[in-house]
Amino acid sequence: MSLVGQVDRATSSARGRGRRPGELTRGAGLGLGVGVLWLSLLVLLPIAAIVSTAFDEGLAGFWDAVTDREALAAIQFTVGAAALVTVVNAVVGTLIAWVLVRDRFPGKRILEVVIDIPFALPTIVAGLVLITLYGPSGPFGINLVGTRAGVVLALLFVTLPFVVRSVQPVLIDADREVEQAAASLGASGFTIFRRVILPTVTPAVVSGAALSFARALGEFGSVILISANLIGKTQVSSSYILKMIESQETQSAAAVATLLLVVAVVVLVLLDGVQRRTARRG
């Protein structure tokens, strides 16, 4: 039976049971209700409370809070570092995923486990590990404490798995016969990568990059130690928000948090649009 016939039959069956097309069953409706309630309690209501607090003193108060010299420096540094980390992860994460899928080498299973360590390790522990290795008493003689490079390194550490784990399943499912056919027709390795592999993995890379950016934007635990929280230099937005909360300036903290939320949502929507457009072309 054709797909159209199956759809018509399912529609007729639903009508026969007294439901209109697209109408949810009782179980599906209950599940949807529970899901919406859960998301409302955990996500929507807290976000609404933060946004409401951010505008306690009106738009002028919000603007003054986010354009404060210290706040602006922290926001600019955080967004810039998150963008840099996202670009690096998109390139290096794709390369690591490629090696894990296409190559066999000793220690591959160990590397698979190492990739996921940032997911399981408490971020404050990650910061402690980085200070031990790249602090003033580190074994490499490199001191990154209180430097922007140290903050970027910490963000790279905690966001490493996102692109790798997004791209890996796509590469596993990719049809290698297409690559072999392109190679048999004389296509170079770069041409095969550009015309065959890249269009296939681009949606996954974009998805992983979006998650990486969002995580880097709000990271706190891994950077609080290595950044040394130097105002105007290595202070990240999460540290600034904590400082404002401890100073009882909750409106300023909420304003900066709201601005970061807007930046994250805009970037996620843009990347989602790129992902959908690339997927349609593929």
Side-chain angles (χ1 to χ4, degrees):
M1 180 182 294
S2 66
L3 178 61
V4 175
Q6 293 178 19
V7 172
D8 290 341
R9 183 177 179 182
T11 304
S12 299
S13 178
R15 286 173 177 169
R17 292 193 296 269
R19 294 200 309 271
R20 295 187 297 273
E23 186 178 1
L24 295 176
T25 63
R26 181 177 299 177
L30 179 61
L32 179 62
V34 172
V36 171
L37 177 63
W38 191 253
L39 286 174
S40 298
L41 292 175
L42 290 182
V43 180
L44 297 180
L45 287 179
I47 289 177
I50 290 174
V51 174
S52 175
T53 305
F55 289 94
D56 273 351
E57 299 177 11
L59 186 59
F62 174 84
W63 181 253
D64 290 341
V66 297
T67 55
D68 176 82
R69 179 178 297 181
E70 183 179 341
L72 198 56
I75 293 169
Q76 288 175 339
F77 175 54
T78 303
V79 174
L84 175 61
V85 166
T86 301
V87 173
V88 174
N89 279 335
V91 177
V92 179
T94 303
L95 178 62
I96 294 175
W98 175 271
V99 171
L100 289 175
V101 172
R102 296 298 172 89
D103 295 326
R104 295 182 179 180
F105 52 89
K108 181 178 177 179
R109 291 186 179 278
I110 296 176
L111 184 58
E112 289 273 9
V113 175
V114 171
I115 294 295
D116 288 331
I117 285 180
F119 277 151
L121 196 66
T123 54
I124 191 68
V125 177
L128 190 60
V129 170
L130 292 175
I131 283 186
T132 303
L133 293 177
Y134 303 107
S137 304
F140 304 124
I142 302 174
N143 184 11
L144 296 180
V145 175
T147 67
R148 295 191 169 190
V151 175
V152 172
L153 180 66
L155 294 178
L156 285 172
F157 179 86
V158 298
T159 58
L160 172 65
F162 288 103
V163 174
V164 178
R165 293 311 185 201
S166 297
V167 174
Q168 223 175 337
V170 178
L171 284 175
I172 292 174
D173 294 337
D175 188 359
R176 298 195 65 176
E177 292 183 356
V178 178
E179 299 174 34
Q180 293 169 354
S184 67
L185 293 174
S188 65
F190 178 73
T191 301
I192 294 174
F193 175 78
R194 185 171 60 86
R195 302 291 296 274
V196 178
I197 300 171
L198 192 58
T200 303
V201 301
T202 295
V205 173
V206 172
S207 176
L211 294 173
S212 178
F213 179 82
R215 173 65 186 274
L217 205 61
E219 179 57 25
F220 176 77
S222 65
V223 299
I224 189 63
L225 296 177
I226 201 167
S227 72
N229 200 27
L230 302 178
I231 296 173
K233 184 180 178 185
T234 60
Q235 186 183 46
V236 295
S237 297
S238 53
S239 299
Y240 177 80
I241 291 172
L242 177 62
K243 177 183 174 182
M244 290 296 101
I245 292 174
E246 291 176 340
S247 304
Q248 303 297 318
E249 298 183 40
T250 54
Q251 189 272 332
S252 296
V256 173
T258 300
L259 182 61
L260 289 178
L261 176 65
V262 171
V263 172
V265 170
V266 169
V267 171
L268 289 174
V269 170
L270 289 176
L271 291 179
D272 182 66
V274 172
Q275 181 185 14
R276 291 175 183 274
R277 187 174 180 181
T278 307
R280 283 198 298 269
R281 287 181 175 178

